[in-house]
Amino acid sequence: MVTDHTPVDTRKRRLRDLRISVTDRCNLRCTYCMPAEVFGPDYKFLPRSEILDYEELARLARVFAALGVSKLRITGGEPLLRRDLPDFIAMLAGIPGIEDIALTTNGILLPKLAKPLAQAGLNRVTVSLDSLDDETFGKLNGRGVGVKPVLAGIEAAEQAGLGPVKVNMVVQRGVNDQDILPMAEFFRGSGRILRFIEFMDVGTTNGWRMDKVVPSREVWRVINQRWPLESAEPNYQGEVARRWRYADGQGEIGLISSVTNTFCGDCTRARLSARGELYTCLFAATGTDLRGPLRAGKTDAELRALVEGVWKAREDRYSEIRNENTAGLPKAEMSYLGG
Ligand code: SAM
Ligand code: SF4
Ligand code: SF4
């Protein structure tokens, strides 16, 4: 909902979506996100006192909603690890102006949580799955977890009414690019929407190199050769996935070209880290502390003015200026600020 307060940044992009990271922890160690060598047994995750509690997060969500945010996405780390998550969803669902609450998860805990989350007001889930081959997937997720628990999670979400489920696959050359067709085949005609994501240089620990990126146009070519694709209209302006429909009516796929066909010009997303910092770009090194002012007793109007000021000054367009050299710039880890 656009309000009188809805801020517009220096590139005329309004604030519309908020991604809330509820934890920096995860039960997996995907090599492209939280490599086990870096996020090992001695890694210092945020202590509980550093993390915003649900009341605090919901209060900030309310502040963002008053500025025109209508879509929320809960993420992390692995959001389903945070205790009593359905209680938080219920709080968010009650905020005036919030029209859509989605969640991104690795799916493993969905069999237990899908139903209570749906009952609390969650609308949709996106589940990450990078391969249908247990060995490839187990290596990629750094914990040897097989495909079955994730598929069980997807089914649980559907049964709870959280469909159509979107499935995110991060494609890396020489790692899981052989799985493009098997994944497409498996999800075709299933009612689930498979989205291929280009491997991104988020954070500084995942060993990103341009030659590991499989460009979306290559994914498109491989699939189109086997099952012809037709262009589909975006669902809304600023949708990150470019939609393609199977010409034979077996559903659709999405291509997220964060590296080769950037979408900064339409980027209406803000991110709130578990520690309560506002990030205006996935590739930013630092965020603006909202927890300090919140805990110091600032009013909603004061917090709103703070967020508004940050958004109005926003200039981010990292993906447009990315090159081999920018990959080494300081950046917050994705598991920390929320994917
Ligand atoms: N743990 C949840 C999950 O895996 O879905 C939520 C957080 S995760 C950081 C959010 C999304 O970011 C996932 O779909 C994941 O595959 C994607 N992601 C993580 N690192 C990435 C990278 N380097 N390039 C592209 N996508 C990445
Ligand atoms: Fe965990 Fe998600 Fe990152 Fe994988 S992508 S390590 S599941 S936060
Ligand atoms: Fe938005 Fe930053 Fe990604 Fe560009 S690089 S689309 S500004 S998050």
Side-chain angles (χ1 to χ4, degrees):
M1 187 177 50
V2 181
T3 72
D4 290 347
H5 297 285
T6 302
V8 171
D9 72 8
T10 60
R11 304 182 73 221
K12 300 202 167 30
R13 301 168 295 190
R14 72 178 185 84
L15 172 60
R16 195 184 63 155
D17 324 56
L18 178 66
R19 299 189 171 200
I20 303 176
S21 171
V22 291
T23 179
D24 60 335
R25 291 163 200 255
C26 188
N27 43 359
L28 297 184
R29 288 292 179 274
C30 302
T31 53
Y32 52 72
C33 177
M34 296 177 78
E37 319 81 77
V38 180
F39 295 84
D42 298 330
Y43 187 83
K44 297 265 177 298
F45 289 100
L46 293 173
R48 207 180 163 73
S49 58
E50 290 266 320
I51 289 183
L52 294 194
D53 65 29
Y54 286 153
E55 279 74 20
E56 291 173 320
L57 283 173
R59 185 160 164 227
L60 288 178
R62 203 176 285 276
V63 165
F64 279 87
L67 287 168
V69 164
S70 56
K71 296 175 64 159
L72 299 177
R73 179 169 293 275
I74 311 307
T75 178
E78 175 46 45
L80 300 188
L81 289 183
R82 180 103 185 230
R83 210 172 297 158
D84 301 324
L85 192 65
D87 294 349
F88 179 48
I89 299 294
M91 290 161 103
L92 297 178
I95 297 177
I98 296 303
E99 292 162 8
D100 185 40
I101 309 176
L103 172 102
T104 308
T105 171
N106 61 35
I108 296 170
L109 295 172
L110 275 176
K112 199 172 107 204
L113 283 164
K115 208 164 155 202
L117 286 168
Q119 281 166 348
L122 185 69
N123 300 110
R124 311 178 285 123
V125 293
T126 299
V127 178
S128 304
L129 177 64
D130 300 315
S131 173
L132 290 168
D133 176 69
D134 278 333
E135 204 187 320
T136 310
F137 184 57
K139 255 196 238 159
L140 252 174
N141 66 46
R143 286 283 190 255
V145 172
V147 175
K148 226 169 148 187
V150 182
L151 295 179
I154 294 174
E155 277 161 31
E158 288 166 342
Q159 276 161 20
L162 292 170
V165 173
K166 288 182 183 156
V167 178
N168 277 357
M169 172 182 181
V170 177
V171 189
Q172 275 178 270
R173 184 155 334 266
V175 176
N176 64 339
D177 49 348
Q178 72 282 5
D179 294 310
I180 295 170
L181 275 181
M183 286 282 283
E185 179 160 33
F186 184 79
F187 288 109
R188 258 168 58 80
S190 69
R192 300 151 181 174
I193 302 169
L194 177 59
R195 296 149 21 118
F196 298 90
I197 305 181
E198 289 178 348
F199 175 39
M200 292 186 286
D201 50 335
V202 287
T204 51
T205 60
N206 70 3
W208 183 87
R209 288 201 323 258
M210 192 63 201
D211 60 9
K212 288 194 196 164
V213 177
V214 179
S216 290
R217 61 179 169 281
E218 192 175 320
V219 175
W220 183 89
R221 250 196 325 265
V222 170
I223 298 178
N224 183 60
Q225 244 167 32
R226 180 80 174 76
W227 300 288
L229 294 166
E230 289 168 353
S231 176
E233 288 297 303
N235 287 314
Y236 52 88
Q237 200 207 339
E239 188 172 29
V240 295
R242 172 90 161 75
R243 297 173 62 211
W244 292 90
R245 207 179 288 122
Y246 289 110
D248 62 3
Q250 293 301 301
E252 67 179 72
I253 60 162
L255 297 176
I256 303 184
S257 319
S258 350
V259 178
T260 63
N261 191 5
T262 56
F263 34 77
C264 297
D266 272 338
C267 182
T268 55
R269 289 174 294 281
R271 291 178 158 83
L272 188 60
S273 73
R275 198 156 51 170
E277 294 136 326
L278 164 61
Y279 283 80
T280 54
C281 179
L282 180 54
F283 298 91
T286 54
T288 303
D289 177 36
L290 300 182
R291 184 188 62 183
L294 178 87
R295 291 190 176 168
K298 295 287 180 202
T299 63
D300 281 3
E302 286 168 325
L303 292 169
R304 202 166 61 219
L306 177 58
V307 173
E308 193 174 351
V310 170
W311 192 266
K312 281 184 169 161
R314 178 182 189 240
E315 293 178 343
D316 306 288
R317 56 184 195 100
Y318 177 85
S319 288
E320 288 181 359
I321 55 169
R322 165 191 293 112
N323 57 44
E324 291 283 352
N325 301 327
T326 55
L329 291 175
K331 290 180 240 117
E333 293 300 318
M334 191 166 184
S335 54
Y336 173 76
L337 62 85

